[in-house]
Every structure is written in C-alpha cells, then in structure tokens.
Amino acid sequence: MNSAHNPGRVAGFWYLLLCLVGPLRLIYIPSKLFVHGNAAATVNNIAAHEWLFRFGIVSDLVCGVILIFLVMAFYRLFKEVDPNLVVLVVIFGGVMPALINFVGVVSDAAALMVVREGDFLSAFDKLQRDALAVLFLHLRDHQNTAAEMLWGVWLFPLAALVYRSRFLPRFMVVWLAFGGFAYVILSLTGELVPQYENKVFAYSQPAFFGEIAIMLWLLIKGAKPRTLDAAA
C-alpha cells in the first residue's frame, strides 16, 4: 500500500528500525563488555572488542536520526487529530531524546579515548585510567536515566492522540499510558533510590510492551487519518 495513503505504516517502519538498532548500546554491549564492580575487566573487554563498542556509538547516532523520522511520521499521521498534542510528541519523543543521544556518545567516546591510552594520559597510572574510563561509562548511564523521563512523558500525548484518533484501537491507550508512568517512575527511582532501580525495571516489563504493540499494529495493519479516507 502506498505510504501516502497509509502513513501509519511509515511510522511503524521507523518504530521497527528504532527497536532493532536501539538495544545494541542499551542492552547488548553492557551485557557483553561491562563487568560490574571490576573496572579493569571492563576496560580490557572494551579494548579487546573496540569495534563492537564503536558500533554502539554509531547505533546511538543512528537512533537519534531515526527518532526524528519517527516523530515526523507521527506528526503526519496525527496532525489533523490535535496539532498541539502532536507537537508535544515531536518535542518529547523526538527532538529532546535525539539530542541526548548525540550528547551521550561524547561520554562513550571519552571512555574509548581513555581505554586506548593516549599520550595525554601518561600522567595517570593504569588503575587511575581504568577508573576514569568507567566514570565516563557511569556518566552515560546517568544520561540514560535522565532520558527515561522523556521516554515516558512522550507516551502520554501519544496515548491521548490514539484515543482521539478513532483509527487506532483504543486498548492501546491504557497500555501506552502505563508505559509512560513506568518510564517516569523508573527515571525517578534511578535518581532518588538507585538501589531499587533494577527491581522497578523488572516489575515494569509488561508496561513497556505497549510500544511494541502499537509498532506491530502500525507496521502490519497501518493507519490513516479520516481525511485520507475521504480523499481515497
């Protein structure tokens, strides 16, 4: 079906790309390279798999670009439903998270510079360099924790648009709203009581599948505003 007649499938396509590329730096690389409580082992893993770590940096840059295309696809889909709500989706769901992605790669790049032991680090011994590299990685984790606030907030106007649109199933409204609350609570937990962050994340898993549901619906079934229906 022509994307001009079904803009929902365009949004589903960009959502799918985001789900495929995003986990590389967020999930896969930390699970493979980072050793909790062992800076030396983490640094050695990054040094041994430098290209994998670099691909993680590139994936964050690509995700930042994909986010812009995704929210612009949502803008096209929902602009006739409520222009004010869809602008919030663009800002909270695309522009601001994309900026955090681009800023976040600086922390990873700094960690990689330390791992490669540039001449300007000769004043530090090995233990200090390892600690410095892990410090930059922790800084990146804190940036992700801050970004979770945006990952949650943008789902509220999106859920409202789904409810008001009448061309998407309404059961997704509650699911998306729960996902938004889950991300916000997870971000606040990470900032206020980080010792409980993993537990909150584990309990929040079902709420996060709302985004997967709407992504699959848009990709398979598609969606189109009533204005396009009338034109067709």
Side-chain angles (χ1 to χ4, degrees):
M1 185 178 293
N2 192 308
S3 63
H5 293 153
N6 200 323
R9 284 194 175 155
V10 178
F13 168 76
W14 289 115
Y15 226 144
L16 176 63
L17 283 184
L18 186 66
C19 292
L20 293 176
V21 178
L24 178 61
R25 177 59 183 87
L26 283 175
I27 300 173
Y28 182 76
I29 287 178
S31 67
K32 291 295 182 180
L33 302 184
F34 302 167
V35 181
H36 181 70
N38 193 330
T42 299
V43 168
N44 290 338
N45 286 341
I46 294 174
H49 302 88
E50 181 179 331
W51 277 104
L52 176 59
F53 192 77
R54 288 185 181 275
F55 278 126
I57 294 175
V58 172
S59 72
D60 268 352
L61 296 175
V62 172
C63 281
V65 176
I66 291 174
L67 279 169
I68 300 301
F69 281 106
L70 172 62
V71 294
M72 291 310 298
F74 276 133
Y75 179 82
R76 185 181 177 205
L77 181 63
F78 292 118
K79 63 182 179 180
E80 302 298 333
V81 177
D82 190 316
N84 294 321
L85 286 175
V86 78
V87 166
L88 293 179
V89 168
V90 171
I91 294 173
F92 291 127
V95 175
M96 294 179 69
L99 287 175
I100 290 179
N101 270 34
F102 284 112
V103 172
V105 300
V106 176
S107 298
D108 280 351
L112 187 59
M113 290 171 62
V114 175
V115 169
R116 297 186 67 190
E117 301 181 5
D119 293 338
F120 59 92
L121 293 170
S122 58
F124 299 95
D125 61 32
K126 181 66 166 60
L127 289 176
Q128 291 172 326
R129 290 196 298 269
D130 291 349
L132 185 60
V134 172
L135 173 64
F136 286 123
L137 295 177
H138 281 300
L139 177 61
R140 179 56 198 275
D141 285 341
H142 284 294
Q143 290 171 325
N144 287 338
T145 300
E148 286 169 349
M149 180 66 69
L150 296 172
W151 300 350
V153 169
W154 89 291
L155 292 177
F156 298 135
L158 180 61
L161 288 167
V162 170
Y163 177 80
R164 297 183 61 179
S165 67
R166 298 183 182 277
F167 52 77
L168 284 171
R170 289 190 170 182
F171 75 87
M172 293 183 184
V173 174
V174 176
W175 212 347
L176 289 172
F178 276 145
F181 280 116
Y183 273 123
V184 171
I185 292 172
L186 187 60
S187 179
L188 294 176
T189 302
E191 298 296 346
L192 297 174
V193 281
Q195 64 270 26
Y196 296 110
E197 187 175 9
N198 290 335
K199 184 175 291 187
V200 172
F201 178 76
Y203 288 145
S204 302
Q205 290 299 305
F208 298 145
F209 288 110
E211 288 188 84
I212 303 296
I214 193 171
M215 180 269 289
L216 292 175
W217 182 279
L218 291 171
L219 194 64
I220 297 170
K221 298 283 290 184
K224 49 186 176 180
R226 295 189 180 277
T227 53
L228 290 182
D229 278 333

PDB file of all heavy atoms in Angstrom, residues 82-95:
ATOM      1  N   ASP A  82      -5.014  16.467  16.657  1.00  0.00           N
ATOM      2  CA  ASP A  82      -4.766  17.541  17.626  1.00  0.00           C
ATOM      3  C   ASP A  82      -3.354  18.063  17.398  1.00  0.00           C
ATOM      4  O   ASP A  82      -2.388  17.413  17.811  1.00  0.00           O
ATOM      5  CB  ASP A  82      -4.931  17.043  19.059  1.00  0.00           C
ATOM      6  CG  ASP A  82      -4.924  18.165  20.082  1.00  0.00           C
ATOM      7  OD1 ASP A  82      -4.070  19.071  19.961  1.00  0.00           O
ATOM      8  OD2 ASP A  82      -5.773  18.151  20.997  1.00  0.00           O
ATOM      9  N   PRO A  83      -3.211  19.217  16.759  1.00  0.00           N
ATOM     10  CA  PRO A  83      -1.871  19.732  16.445  1.00  0.00           C
ATOM     11  C   PRO A  83      -1.043  20.049  17.685  1.00  0.00           C
ATOM     12  O   PRO A  83       0.182  19.945  17.649  1.00  0.00           O
ATOM     13  CB  PRO A  83      -2.152  20.993  15.628  1.00  0.00           C
ATOM     14  CG  PRO A  83      -3.566  21.365  15.936  1.00  0.00           C
ATOM     15  CD  PRO A  83      -4.273  20.089  16.221  1.00  0.00           C
ATOM     16  N   ASN A  84      -1.683  20.419  18.786  1.00  0.00           N
ATOM     17  CA  ASN A  84      -0.923  20.726  19.999  1.00  0.00           C
ATOM     18  C   ASN A  84      -0.333  19.468  20.625  1.00  0.00           C
ATOM     19  O   ASN A  84       0.835  19.451  21.034  1.00  0.00           O
ATOM     20  CB  ASN A  84      -1.828  21.437  21.011  1.00  0.00           C
ATOM     21  CG  ASN A  84      -2.275  22.802  20.522  1.00  0.00           C
ATOM     22  OD1 ASN A  84      -1.501  23.539  19.911  1.00  0.00           O
ATOM     23  ND2 ASN A  84      -3.522  23.154  20.781  1.00  0.00           N
ATOM     24  N   LEU A  85      -1.127  18.409  20.706  1.00  0.00           N
ATOM     25  CA  LEU A  85      -0.625  17.163  21.270  1.00  0.00           C
ATOM     26  C   LEU A  85       0.482  16.564  20.412  1.00  0.00           C
ATOM     27  O   LEU A  85       1.477  16.044  20.930  1.00  0.00           O
ATOM     28  CB  LEU A  85      -1.766  16.152  21.418  1.00  0.00           C
ATOM     29  CG  LEU A  85      -2.758  16.387  22.554  1.00  0.00           C
ATOM     30  CD1 LEU A  85      -3.889  15.374  22.496  1.00  0.00           C
ATOM     31  CD2 LEU A  85      -2.048  16.305  23.907  1.00  0.00           C
ATOM     32  N   VAL A  86       0.329  16.633  19.105  1.00  0.00           N
ATOM     33  CA  VAL A  86       1.329  16.015  18.244  1.00  0.00           C
ATOM     34  C   VAL A  86       2.645  16.798  18.278  1.00  0.00           C
ATOM     35  O   VAL A  86       3.725  16.220  18.106  1.00  0.00           O
ATOM     36  CB  VAL A  86       0.793  15.868  16.805  1.00  0.00           C
ATOM     37  CG1 VAL A  86       0.849  17.181  16.039  1.00  0.00           C
ATOM     38  CG2 VAL A  86       1.572  14.788  16.048  1.00  0.00           C
ATOM     39  N   VAL A  87       2.593  18.091  18.554  1.00  0.00           N
ATOM     40  CA  VAL A  87       3.828  18.861  18.737  1.00  0.00           C
ATOM     41  C   VAL A  87       4.552  18.389  19.993  1.00  0.00           C
ATOM     42  O   VAL A  87       5.795  18.296  20.015  1.00  0.00           O
ATOM     43  CB  VAL A  87       3.523  20.371  18.801  1.00  0.00           C
ATOM     44  CG1 VAL A  87       4.721  21.144  19.333  1.00  0.00           C
ATOM     45  CG2 VAL A  87       3.156  20.884  17.417  1.00  0.00           C
ATOM     46  N   LEU A  88       3.811  18.067  21.039  1.00  0.00           N
ATOM     47  CA  LEU A  88       4.430  17.519  22.245  1.00  0.00           C
ATOM     48  C   LEU A  88       5.107  16.184  21.950  1.00  0.00           C
ATOM     49  O   LEU A  88       6.186  15.894  22.481  1.00  0.00           O
ATOM     50  CB  LEU A  88       3.381  17.346  23.348  1.00  0.00           C
ATOM     51  CG  LEU A  88       2.760  18.624  23.918  1.00  0.00           C
ATOM     52  CD1 LEU A  88       1.721  18.271  24.979  1.00  0.00           C
ATOM     53  CD2 LEU A  88       3.836  19.527  24.506  1.00  0.00           C
ATOM     54  N   VAL A  89       4.471  15.367  21.116  1.00  0.00           N
ATOM     55  CA  VAL A  89       5.082  14.098  20.717  1.00  0.00           C
ATOM     56  C   VAL A  89       6.406  14.352  20.002  1.00  0.00           C
ATOM     57  O   VAL A  89       7.407  13.679  20.257  1.00  0.00           O
ATOM     58  CB  VAL A  89       4.119  13.294  19.822  1.00  0.00           C
ATOM     59  CG1 VAL A  89       4.843  12.127  19.156  1.00  0.00           C
ATOM     60  CG2 VAL A  89       2.944  12.779  20.634  1.00  0.00           C
ATOM     61  N   VAL A  90       6.419  15.323  19.104  1.00  0.00           N
ATOM     62  CA  VAL A  90       7.638  15.635  18.351  1.00  0.00           C
ATOM     63  C   VAL A  90       8.749  16.111  19.284  1.00  0.00           C
ATOM     64  O   VAL A  90       9.906  15.686  19.164  1.00  0.00           O
ATOM     65  CB  VAL A  90       7.342  16.700  17.270  1.00  0.00           C
ATOM     66  CG1 VAL A  90       8.639  17.201  16.642  1.00  0.00           C
ATOM     67  CG2 VAL A  90       6.425  16.126  16.199  1.00  0.00           C
ATOM     68  N   ILE A  91       8.408  16.974  20.243  1.00  0.00           N
ATOM     69  CA  ILE A  91       9.429  17.541  21.132  1.00  0.00           C
ATOM     70  C   ILE A  91       9.927  16.512  22.137  1.00  0.00           C
ATOM     71  O   ILE A  91      11.131  16.248  22.246  1.00  0.00           O
ATOM     72  CB  ILE A  91       8.875  18.783  21.864  1.00  0.00           C
ATOM     73  CG1 ILE A  91       8.590  19.902  20.864  1.00  0.00           C
ATOM     74  CG2 ILE A  91       9.877  19.266  22.926  1.00  0.00           C
ATOM     75  CD1 ILE A  91       7.889  21.100  21.472  1.00  0.00           C
ATOM     76  N   PHE A  92       8.984  15.898  22.895  1.00  0.00           N
ATOM     77  CA  PHE A  92       9.380  14.971  23.965  1.00  0.00           C
ATOM     78  C   PHE A  92       9.824  13.608  23.445  1.00  0.00           C
ATOM     79  O   PHE A  92      10.631  12.935  24.080  1.00  0.00           O
ATOM     80  CB  PHE A  92       8.232  14.782  24.963  1.00  0.00           C
ATOM     81  CG  PHE A  92       7.937  15.995  25.785  1.00  0.00           C
ATOM     82  CD1 PHE A  92       6.653  16.516  25.853  1.00  0.00           C
ATOM     83  CD2 PHE A  92       8.939  16.618  26.501  1.00  0.00           C
ATOM     84  CE1 PHE A  92       6.378  17.639  26.624  1.00  0.00           C
ATOM     85  CE2 PHE A  92       8.675  17.745  27.271  1.00  0.00           C
ATOM     86  CZ  PHE A  92       7.396  18.255  27.328  1.00  0.00           C
ATOM     87  N   GLY A  93       9.290  13.213  22.299  1.00  0.00           N
ATOM     88  CA  GLY A  93       9.606  11.885  21.794  1.00  0.00           C
ATOM     89  C   GLY A  93      10.680  11.851  20.732  1.00  0.00           C
ATOM     90  O   GLY A  93      11.225  10.778  20.449  1.00  0.00           O
ATOM     91  N   GLY A  94      10.993  13.011  20.145  1.00  0.00           N
ATOM     92  CA  GLY A  94      11.968  13.020  19.068  1.00  0.00           C
ATOM     93  C   GLY A  94      13.132  13.963  19.275  1.00  0.00           C
ATOM     94  O   GLY A  94      14.283  13.545  19.388  1.00  0.00           O
ATOM     95  N   VAL A  95      12.847  15.247  19.348  1.00  0.00           N
ATOM     96  CA  VAL A  95      13.908  16.252  19.370  1.00  0.00           C
ATOM     97  C   VAL A  95      14.784  16.109  20.616  1.00  0.00           C
ATOM     98  O   VAL A  95      16.016  16.013  20.515  1.00  0.00           O
ATOM     99  CB  VAL A  95      13.308  17.669  19.286  1.00  0.00           C
ATOM    100  CG1 VAL A  95      14.406  18.717  19.421  1.00  0.00           C
ATOM    101  CG2 VAL A  95      12.558  17.843  17.961  1.00  0.00           C
TER     102      VAL A  95
END
